[in-house]
Amino acid sequence: QYFGLHSIKLYRQTIYFVVNKNIFYSMESRDETYDIKGSWIDRNTNRPISDRKLMKDGDLHKKLVLEPKKSYAIYQQLRKDTTFLEQVEIMDYSLLVGIKYARLSNPRHERPHDKHGDADEAEIDEEEEEEKRDASLASDPGLLSADYVEGPGLYVIGIIDMLQKYDR
């Protein structure tokens, strides 16, 4: 979404710029950000994702997991957008993807020791069985318990950099 096309004159030179909506305005921080062009030429950053810098196509080594209806709706919208860009002879654009991970705490690590207050007998039996399984797993030195599980939680997707005309 564009808010305006502006110019400013500095030292006898006019500079033009566009102000558009920040697609990440609703996402305070992102764990990963990718600029996807669909090209293989110079599309790696050669830096680790942990730097939390803008990455490129070649750095993305995972699938975006969406429910089928949402995936199809996004596909249809991107198809309409790219068809329009082709019709108006705009050739250079990118898909900007932001990923925010959801962190889920392991509830087994958060239970207080006095947990049987209002629980009925079936719940208590189930919890005791779970504790026995946990205790037998804990005796295996090859298994480690996670304090939290992390996985994709939010995606933000938008088309950017689309003001380059075809050279004829």
Side-chain angles (χ1 to χ4, degrees):
Q1 182 177 11
Y2 291 104
F3 294 130
L5 174 61
H6 304 277
S7 66
I8 188 169
K9 194 167 193 164
L10 295 171
Y11 308 106
R12 287 183 257 144
Q13 183 177 5
T14 303
I15 300 169
Y16 297 94
F17 60 96
V18 175
V19 177
N20 59 312
K21 180 179 177 181
N22 177 359
I23 68 167
F24 295 126
Y25 76 96
S26 62
M27 188 184 279
E28 289 180 26
S29 65
R30 297 169 304 288
D31 294 303
E32 297 176 26
T33 308
Y34 295 91
D35 176 345
I36 312 250
K37 279 203 181 295
S39 172
W40 291 277
I41 301 168
D42 192 31
R43 298 305 299 163
N44 291 82
T45 60
N46 298 319
R47 65 176 161 245
I49 291 172
S50 59
D51 284 355
R52 297 175 68 122
K53 304 279 186 185
L54 181 67
M55 307 301 278
K56 295 182 181 180
D57 308 52
D59 302 315
L60 183 59
H61 300 291
K62 63 183 85 168
K63 291 182 179 182
L64 302 183
V65 181
L66 300 167
E67 48 185 80
K69 282 185 179 181
K70 285 184 182 178
S71 178
Y72 185 72
I74 291 169
Y75 167 75
Q76 290 292 12
Q77 187 61 54
L78 289 172
R79 188 173 176 169
K80 288 177 187 175
D81 292 347
T82 54
T83 298
F84 168 75
L85 293 172
E86 181 181 19
Q87 288 171 351
V88 295
E89 298 184 342
I90 293 177
M91 59 162 253
D92 187 19
Y93 52 87
S94 294
L95 189 65
L96 189 65
V97 178
I99 302 172
K100 175 74 174 171
Y101 287 101
R103 290 168 178 83
L104 305 173
S105 296
N106 185 341
R108 293 178 184 156
H109 291 232
E110 295 178 353
R111 283 194 192 138
H113 290 296
D114 183 24
K115 59 189 173 286
H116 299 305
D118 293 334
D120 65 22
E121 204 164 314
E123 287 179 75
I124 293 170
D125 289 343
E126 187 178 315
E127 285 182 16
E128 287 173 357
E129 284 299 314
E130 198 173 306
E131 285 175 3
K132 286 178 188 175
R133 280 192 304 273
D134 289 351
S136 69
L137 289 174
S139 65
D140 184 340
L143 295 177
L144 302 172
S145 179
D147 291 330
Y148 66 88
V149 176
E150 180 176 83
L154 299 171
Y155 299 118
V156 175
I157 301 170
I159 293 179
I160 61 167
D161 299 337
M162 67 262 211
L163 298 176
Q164 182 69 41
K165 297 281 279 175
Y166 282 120
D167 288 332
R168 294 218 177 226

